[in-house]
Every structure is written in structure tokens, then in C-alpha cells.
Amino acid sequence: MVSASAPAKAILIGEHAVVYGRPAIAIPLPDIRAEVGITAGDLGSGIRIFAPDLDRVILVGATADDDPLAVTVANTLAYLGIAQPPDLALTLRSAIPLARGMGSGAAIATAIVRAIAAYFERAIAPDEVSALVYRTEVLFHGTPSGIDNTVVAYGRPIYFTRGAGPQPLHIGGPLRFLIADTGVASPTRLAVGDVRAGWQAEPAHYEALFDAIAASVDSARAAIAAGNAAALGQAMDAAHTCLMEIGVSSPELDSLVAAARQAGALGAKLSGGGRGGIALALVDPAQADGVAQALRLAGAVNVLGATLRPDE
Ligand code: MEV
């Protein structure tokens, strides 16, 4: 049995605008992971993907219009030059909630690519993993920016601009976040598609909002480098206001954001595709318990912590 895993992710700031060429910042969530194990399959079974949590078994290559995870397996084998693969059984397990903007699809695909490379004893670099998983993201999301596959494959905080690849994020001091789950599943594809329709109808308005988000991302980058939590919180608040105007927030997200701020968070915003999924709050560690409690009272079904630690 060979296995590999990959982390969840959160977009700290810049979602949606990143699809339109603006920068964004994303962080891995290393404690929340997807894992794939591979064993030899039964003779003549072909390649099967077992997803016990979803109660699904997917046969790779069964139809022309294949499942995105089956396509990931096929693409990875082709990339590694394994023309006649043996019978294989892949088993997926994931602790990442689905359709919450936490990168569950990218993490599962990344774990698949890494597990196949490990099974065939082939080294594969993060940029190669990221490029393969991007092809899966296109199937899941339609027009992804590439930020999710990049942050998950590199497993480190990144400043990302489409086409330019990841830049490392300099972290000047520890930053503590709370991730509050609305409990509302919201496929990224739908939110991204609606933003595109809005942008096509009112291009100047949307471009101005994307520019405002880009300005907040660059303020956030400077604040993170300086370890200035108050300035980062302001940038997050400003980005949430833009995301509301873009139309990707929701009553559930807005009440979590308001509750976090009222309980003393330094800043709060939706994170990821929006419409549901998660909100991200920046907190002073001394306030973390109080803010977490306020988030639960405001309807969060789960509240997780994440810390950005300074560069070594
Ligand atoms: C999804 O994690 C982030 C979005 O900006 C979509 C994308 O960048 O592909 C909403």
C-alpha cells in the first residue's frame, strides 16, 4: 500500500478578482487533509477509485465522458508515461468538507497525483503536480484561476497572480485566523459563473471592484510582511465589502462576518467562492475563544483555527 495526502486551503484575500488577473493570497490548512492509498487491484479489475465516504466506486476509462477524478488518474498515468498500467485500487478519504471553498477537489486530485507517482516510484515536483491538478480544476470549476491547485501543491502560503505563478509570502509576525463554516454547500463553479455573467453585463463596474480588491490584496501583503494584524484586518473588511457588491456573499456569511467583528475580530470576510462555504476572521489570540463562541451563536456549524507563522 502506497499513500499520499494533500492539505485543504483557504483564500485569505483576492478571490474572484484573481480569475480576472488580479493578485490573491492563499494559505494551506495542513491539519485538514485528503488522503489516497493505492494497492494492486484484483486481476482484470482495471483501475478503480473507491470513495467510501461518498459511497462511490469509479472505474477509470469506463466512459468517454469520464468523472474528473478518473480523468486525473488517466492524465497522471499518461504524464508519467505509464502506457499499460496494471490493475489498481485507489481509496480516497478526505476530512475536507465538500463545496465549502476549502479546496476539497484540488486536495483530492493532488493526493491522487502524488499517490500514483509514489506507487510507480517517480519523483514529481510541485509545479508538475499543480499543472496536472489544474486540468482537473477546469473540469470541476470551468474557469479556475489556478490558485487552488497551486497553494495545495506547494503546501505553503502564496501570493498568486494568474499566469505569473506563485510567489512566497513573507510573514513578519504570527497571525491567528478562525475559519467558520456556514454549513451551506456552494459549488465554486456556480458563483464563478454568476460573477462572469455580471462582469459581461457591467464590465466597467466589475473591473473597478476587481481593482479595489487588488488594492486590498496588496495592502494585506504589506501588512502580513510587517506582522501588522490591524492593517490586515482592515484590508479583509474592505475586500468583504467588495465581494458583497460583486454578489457572492450571503445572509449566512454576512451574519458570521458581523458577529466576528462585534466580538472583537480584527477583520472578517467570506473566503473562497462565497454564497455559502466559509468565513475567515482574523483575531488577537486573546480574543479567539470569544470570537469562536460568537461565530457559533451566529450559526457556524464548525469553527476551526489556523495560524500563519513568521518566516524562519
Ligand atoms: C476559489 O477558491 C477561488 C475563486 O477565486 C475561483 C478561482 O480562483 O478559480 C472564487
Side-chain angles (χ1 to χ4, degrees):
M1 161 87 140
V2 166
S3 65
S5 71
K9 67 92 198 30
I11 307 281
L12 204 161
I13 191 163
E15 51 276 272
H16 288 292
V18 69
V19 175
Y20 298 83
R22 275 53 165 205
I25 295 171
I27 59 174
L29 302 172
D31 297 338
I32 311 168
R33 304 188 76 84
E35 187 173 13
V36 172
I38 306 186
T39 54
D42 294 337
L43 196 65
S45 65
I47 302 176
R48 283 171 197 266
I49 303 173
F50 296 88
D53 303 342
L54 303 176
D55 213 10
R56 287 189 65 197
V57 180
I58 304 160
L59 181 60
V60 176
T63 63
D65 181 22
D66 243 338
D67 178 279
L69 298 181
V71 174
T72 309
V73 172
N75 287 345
T76 307
L77 290 167
Y79 181 76
L80 296 175
I82 297 157
Q84 299 207 312
D87 300 315
L88 295 173
L90 285 77
T91 303
L92 318 183
R93 299 218 176 255
S94 177
I96 309 170
L98 292 175
R100 300 297 211 287
M102 293 176 76
S104 121
I108 291 170
T110 299
I112 287 177
V113 173
R114 286 182 178 153
I116 292 174
Y119 190 85
F120 291 101
E121 297 180 349
R122 302 284 292 274
I124 188 158
D127 61 328
E128 296 174 287
V129 175
S130 180
L132 278 164
V133 175
Y134 181 76
R135 292 164 65 184
T136 308
E137 289 284 283
V138 170
L139 301 175
F140 276 130
H141 298 317
T143 56
S145 65
I147 192 169
D148 287 14
N149 48 286
T150 304
V151 68
V152 169
Y154 283 80
R156 54 185 294 186
I158 55 166
Y159 175 92
F160 176 91
T161 310
R162 194 172 188 166
Q167 291 178 40
L169 190 68
H170 299 298
I171 304 165
L175 295 162
R176 174 91 180 138
F177 297 93
L178 295 175
I179 297 163
D181 187 349
T182 58
V184 178
S186 170
T188 303
R189 170 191 282 275
L190 300 182
V192 168
D194 287 351
V195 173
R196 185 158 297 271
W199 174 71
Q200 280 162 346
E202 290 181 88
H205 181 55
Y206 275 71
E207 287 290 332
L209 287 165
F210 298 151
D211 283 341
I213 291 177
S216 295
V217 172
D218 283 327
S219 303
R221 185 192 205 185
I224 293 167
N228 185 342
L232 175 59
Q234 281 169 17
M236 291 171 65
D237 287 347
H240 185 73
T241 303
C242 293
L243 291 164
M244 288 171 80
E245 213 168 313
I246 284 173
V248 291
S249 196
S250 69
E252 293 86 354
L253 285 165
D254 289 342
S255 61
L256 291 182
V257 165
R261 290 179 189 155
Q262 271 159 26
L266 300 164
K269 60 183 282 294
L270 72 84
S271 170
R275 294 277 168 78
I278 54 169
L280 190 67
L282 175 66
V283 291
D284 187 311
Q287 311 267 1
D289 287 349
V291 176
Q293 197 183 0
L295 286 165
R296 286 196 192 89
L297 284 172
V301 297
N302 195 12
V303 181
L304 305 164
T307 302
L308 269 189
R309 296 206 164 72
D311 307 328
E312 307 296 346

